[in-house]
Amino acid sequence: GENVEQHPSTLSVQEGDSAVIKCTYSDSASNYFPWYKQELGKRPQLIIDIRSNVGEKKDQRIAVTLNKTAKHFSLHITETQPEDSAVYFCAATQLGSQTGANNLFFGTGTRLTVIP
Amino acid sequence: NAGVTQTPKFRVLKTGQSMTLLCAQDMNHEYMYWYRQDPGMGLRLIHYSVGEGTTAKGEVPDGYNVSRLKKQNFLLGLESAAPSQTSVYFCASSYSQGNTEAFFGQGTRLTVV
């Protein structure tokens, strides 16, 4: 099965600085890579995703890059704000797999703290 | 739309007791999932379902059973709770035509003493 590794486990940045979280995956058949944000005591929520047919995707201050050859993908947050403080999870799955389900395999999470 | 709703939100069980967690979604999603979240381990898939009447094992299925008798509901059962099952449980659903996003419930914090 798929194995997703995520680094770092904790990250502290000053407000306004950039934050980068990196993930690697093991299954070359994976083709969909979402990122979820989980605020304290809340449910995980999708913030951005990327499919294997593109190398980069941006949404305002958030961007995700994908290197299929190296099997790694990264989340970039620019101009960080205190409300960006949360746990971020990367995930990988193969859409259209034989199981018929989009089972997400998650990384272990990164706790991001933005210091005002 | 309520999205994905889990019942209950909190529960304390004694070792050996049984319980059922209910997940309901109103988005007409085909796929439903149960995850457990433990510190430092991310979210791990327990069981999943690709449609009404179907279920399958995920990464950590031991000690759990599931049922999906109706498309909108996915039940997670613990027949004989163990302290190792102390965790936060999340239900999720996904997949309607053209949309792959997974939506999560608010979580159930279960403590087994």
Side-chain angles (χ1 to χ4, degrees), chain B residues 53-103:
Chain B
T54 73
T55 63
K57 295 180 180 180
E59 301 171 78
V60 289
D62 294 343
Y64 306 94
N65 57 76
V66 288
S67 65
R68 186 137 179 234
L69 300 179
K70 294 182 179 180
K71 185 177 183 178
Q72 63 268 35
N73 295 337
F74 195 28
L75 278 63
L76 178 71
L78 287 73
E79 290 187 347
S80 179
S84 61
Q85 294 177 305
T86 294
S87 187
V88 180
Y89 292 86
F90 284 97
C91 175
S93 70
S94 74
Y95 192 70
S96 54
Q97 195 167 7
N99 187 352
T100 55
E101 179 178 350
F103 291 84

Side-chain angles (χ1 to χ4, degrees), chain B residues 8-21 78 81-83 85-87 89 108-113:
Chain B
K9 294 180 182 176
F10 303 93
R11 186 74 186 268
V12 178
L13 285 180
K14 293 183 179 179
T15 297
Q17 286 185 319
S18 64
M19 77 164 294
T20 300
L21 282 67
L78 287 73
Q85 294 177 305
T86 294
S87 187
Y89 292 86
T108 297
R109 183 173 295 277
L110 175 66
T111 303
V112 183
V113 298

